[in-house]
Amino acid sequence: MSRPIPACWATCPVHTRAHGYIALIAQRKFKEALALVRRDNPLPGISGRVCHHPCEEACDRRRVDEPLSIAYLKRFIADYELKTNPKMPSHVERTREEQVAVVGSGPAGLAAAYHLITKGYGVTIFEALTVLGGMLITGIPSNRLPRNVIEYEVDRIKALGVKMRTNVTVGRDISFNDLFKEGYGAIFLAVGAYDSRKLGIPGEDEFEGFLDCLTFLQRVNLGNMSKPGEKVCIIGGGNAAIDSARTALRLGCETVTIVYRRSRREMPANPSEIEEAEAEGVKIHYLASPLRILGRNGHVVGMECIRNMLGEPDASGRRRPVPVEGTEFTVDADAIIPAISQRPDLSFLPEDHGFTITRWNTFDVDPQTLQTNKKGVFAGGDAVTGPATVIEAVAAGKKAAEMIDRYLRGLELTAGEEESRPLVKLTDEEIQAIEKKPRQRMPKLPLEKRVGNFNEVELGFSEEAAVAEAERCLRCWTLTRP
Ligand SMILES: Cc1cc2nc3c(=O)[nH]c(=O)nc-3n(C[C@H](O)[C@H](O)[C@H](O)COP(=O)(O)OP(=O)(O)OC[C@H]3O[C@@H](n4cnc5c(N)ncnc54)[C@H](O)[C@@H]3O)c2cc1C
């Protein structure tokens, strides 16, 4: 039987060697720890801030007291380099003739480009916008993800030799055939999910003051600080809804309300973000659904809602919201921002594109290889999964690079699949023998200093806190099991 592996490593979609970098942090070898992260993930400062960290859910220290603060440790080593010795890597030597075109500069595209260039290929990223980073820069606000962190990590990928062509929409400004004619041997489509889902209720899109969350966040993130209104109502329960709400507050809007159809327990946004939003003054109406948008003289004036109770679980496994008759109520609002989900916007594809598209408007790929129905064209990230997470997009980019490498070498794509290995698990006796030691707390910007600016709220671990946290690791991977 193969040797068990630590759960933090196994459950990371990118298979970052968390157990290894944590051990190095405990020895104060921060540089080596960061180099270990970068073997798998070129975006440590970004993912150390916004990752939903499945590694922490799986950490066995949870059975003693609290799981290791793995994401914040990753952030610490990334910040440590940025603060003490920011350094660009040198150009990677080109060892392969072939070039690869990566479409989209979000985390999936950046990760694919990074892994392809380190394998010796020529790589060009084509980005439709004038800025690089995808949703990292147009979606996630800087109070959670400072721009200098994104710029640094993108610049490092550039420094390796990846060419980045902004303001080019593939499919419109340059066709897929042209890319192949220009000598690209393979294409990776990492175009994200930018089409906001409709609410499907009366009044939608009818009145001024109604705008979708991606338009709102992109506008603010690219520098337009105008308020959407004074009384802002947001619909949804994911990260985009919480970010929209916290952004509206920072712009100085008088009231910010979220309407979410299920209870807090089912809310998909990161629990800590929900807590922060409520602490900052966002009011959340749980168990309520919008019925109609109300308008007067062409402008939004509010929204009629109905209260729900929770019924049986639906296909997502979460309990279905069931409207309770006679519980209608109105929320006053002069701006309404739906943030209920997105799907890929594939309007850049020509009519005769020939790709197989799913009913969710995503690229239909072979899940094992990420290849589309077109030879040499691969796809990944939100464009395949629908709206998901940064770390899953990074994982897709890493996998696509491996598959493209195999494709360009003429190897079978599915060969060499990793076998799944059992996870290390401590025995109850071992867990009971461990001394309790709570995790280090993340210092935060005081509430009164958060309004009117987009300064980062989570301030990062000090060196001492990071080392102390790393020392909490149970080093479960060192245990030998029969
Ligand atoms: C507000 C908000 C908050 C979020 N918060 C979190 C969070 O806290 N944690 C987390 O893990 N995830 C979060 N997410 C989700 C996360 O941002 C996405 O899952 C992730 O960015 C997807 O990466 P991607 O590379 O697939 O696509 P994207 O990041 O969307 O990048 C796609 C890129 O492709 C470009 N593009 C599209 N079409 C073309 C074309 N034809 N030619 C050239 N370029 C093109 C786009 O301009 C874009 O730059 C959040 C999302 C939003 C909207």
Side-chain angles (χ1 to χ4, degrees):
M1 201 169 95
S2 33
R3 197 159 172 254
I5 56 169
C8 52
W9 181 14
T11 54
C12 174
V14 183
H15 299 305
T16 318
R17 290 150 233 251
H19 59 301
Y21 72 74
I22 292 168
L24 289 164
I25 295 172
Q27 296 167 42
R28 294 185 184 265
K29 293 185 177 165
F30 305 140
K31 194 172 142 202
E32 292 81 352
L34 188 56
L36 188 60
V37 175
R38 286 195 177 125
R39 277 169 64 175
D40 302 293
N41 181 353
L43 308 176
I46 292 168
S47 40
R49 284 172 165 83
V50 300
C51 183
H52 67 297
H53 44 67
C55 51
E56 295 184 17
E57 301 304 315
C59 172
D60 234 7
R61 175 108 211 179
R62 176 181 289 281
R63 291 165 61 209
V64 178
D65 40 31
E66 297 172 286
L68 257 272
S69 200
I70 303 174
Y72 289 159
L73 284 176
K74 183 160 58 218
R75 169 186 166 165
F76 167 76
I77 42 177
D79 286 2
Y80 186 85
E81 176 180 275
L82 189 55
K83 277 185 206 142
T84 59
N85 184 23
K87 212 162 124 195
M88 288 296 126
S90 34
H91 224 266
V92 177
E93 192 193 333
R94 178 95 176 256
T95 53
R96 304 280 313 171
E97 282 274 297
E98 303 91 331
Q99 297 184 72
V100 182
V102 172
V103 186
S105 68
L110 290 170
Y114 169 83
H115 287 288
L116 283 163
I117 199 111
T118 49
K119 289 178 197 297
Y121 293 99
V123 186
T124 306
I125 293 183
F126 294 87
E127 169 54 56
L129 299 177
T130 49
V131 288
L132 296 160
M135 279 302 183
L136 303 172
I137 200 132
T138 60
I140 306 181
S142 51
N143 51 294
R144 287 209 294 133
L145 184 53
R147 275 32 198 165
N148 66 324
V149 175
I150 307 174
E151 272 161 31
Y152 181 63
E153 297 194 335
V154 171
D155 283 350
R156 285 185 57 93
I157 295 171
K158 249 188 230 169
L160 295 170
V162 173
K163 294 192 195 109
M164 308 219 183
R165 289 179 57 186
T166 51
N167 223 353
V168 183
T169 301
V170 170
R172 268 189 221 137
D173 301 329
I174 181 164
S175 72
F176 290 95
N177 281 344
D178 286 343
L179 286 179
F180 284 121
K181 274 190 216 146
E182 280 190 20
Y184 292 98
I187 300 173
F188 177 50
L189 296 172
V191 295
Y194 281 78
D195 189 13
S196 294
R197 239 183 71 198
K198 296 280 174 209
L199 295 167
I201 58 171
E204 179 167 24
D205 283 331
E206 237 178 75
F207 307 106
E208 215 179 296
F210 185 92
L211 80 166
D212 76 88
C213 69
L214 295 187
T215 310
F216 169 57
L217 287 171
Q218 176 160 335
R219 203 169 80 179
V220 178
N221 283 330
L222 298 185
N224 177 344
M225 296 293 162
S226 57
K227 293 185 202 174
E230 285 302 343
K231 293 179 181 165
V232 181
C233 177
I234 290 145
I235 306 152
N239 283 325
I242 300 288
D243 279 336
S244 301
R246 296 179 76 192
T247 296
L249 270 187
R250 281 165 173 73
L251 294 176
C253 302
E254 253 170 49
T255 59
V256 181
T257 310
I258 292 180
V259 171
Y260 175 55
R261 60 194 182 138
R262 293 183 163 103
S263 75
R264 179 164 176 168
R265 185 205 290 242
E266 288 81 24
M267 217 168 180
N270 299 346
S272 62
E273 302 301 328
I274 305 171
E275 249 168 59
E276 292 301 329
E278 288 188 309
E280 287 169 7
V282 174
K283 180 167 184 325
I284 307 184
H285 286 290
Y286 294 101
L287 287 166
S289 294
L291 288 179
R292 70 180 70 239
I293 309 296
L294 307 171
R296 201 181 305 128
N297 302 329
H299 205 286
V300 163
V301 291
M303 186 168 77
E304 191 187 333
C305 301
I306 188 162
R307 298 204 189 280
N308 297 322
M309 57 181 205
L310 289 180
E312 292 303 308
D314 63 13
S316 74
R318 293 175 302 165
R319 294 178 64 192
R320 190 190 301 273
V322 182
V324 182
E325 229 179 279
T327 60
E328 291 82 355
F329 66 101
T330 302
V331 177
D332 281 345
D334 56 4
I336 292 185
I337 302 179
I340 54 167
S341 191
Q342 300 85 33
R343 50 189 227 153
D345 174 1
L346 301 182
S347 58
F348 66 88
L349 292 175
E351 264 181 25
D352 58 349
H353 60 79
F355 285 104
T356 309
I357 304 297
T358 69
R359 65 194 172 99
W360 300 280
N361 216 38
T362 54
F363 286 99
D364 193 6
V365 298
D366 174 340
Q368 265 186 304
T369 66
L370 298 186
Q371 190 162 217
T372 65
N373 59 313
K374 291 200 174 195
K375 223 173 141 233
V377 184
F378 296 74
D382 281 7
V384 166
T385 56
T389 63
V390 169
I391 201 71
E392 288 165 291
V394 172
K398 183 182 170 198
K399 180 165 184 171
E402 279 160 25
M403 292 300 149
I404 290 171
D405 179 40
R406 298 186 75 82
Y407 170 78
L408 292 174
R409 287 173 189 271
L411 302 172
E412 200 191 316
L413 298 189
T414 49
E417 281 264 303
E418 275 177 35
E419 53 163 342
S420 76
R421 284 165 58 182
L423 306 186
V424 188
K425 203 160 170 49
L426 275 76
T427 63
D428 288 343
E429 293 73 52
E430 282 164 341
I431 289 287
Q432 275 154 23
I434 296 160
E435 196 191 328
K436 288 195 175 21
K437 194 175 170 197
R439 62 182 356 208
Q440 294 291 317
R441 300 289 156 208
M442 173 57 79
K444 292 184 180 164
L445 196 67
L447 283 174
E448 65 277 10
K449 291 201 174 159
R450 298 186 193 176
V451 180
N453 67 69
F454 283 84
N455 295 344
E456 188 170 26
V457 168
E458 295 186 336
L459 302 174
F461 281 163
S462 67
E463 200 172 319
E464 292 322 308
V467 172
E469 184 61 22
E471 283 171 347
R472 290 180 67 240
C473 177
L474 300 179
R475 298 165 67 84
C476 58
W477 48 283
T478 58
L479 295 172
T480 45
R481 291 274 187 260

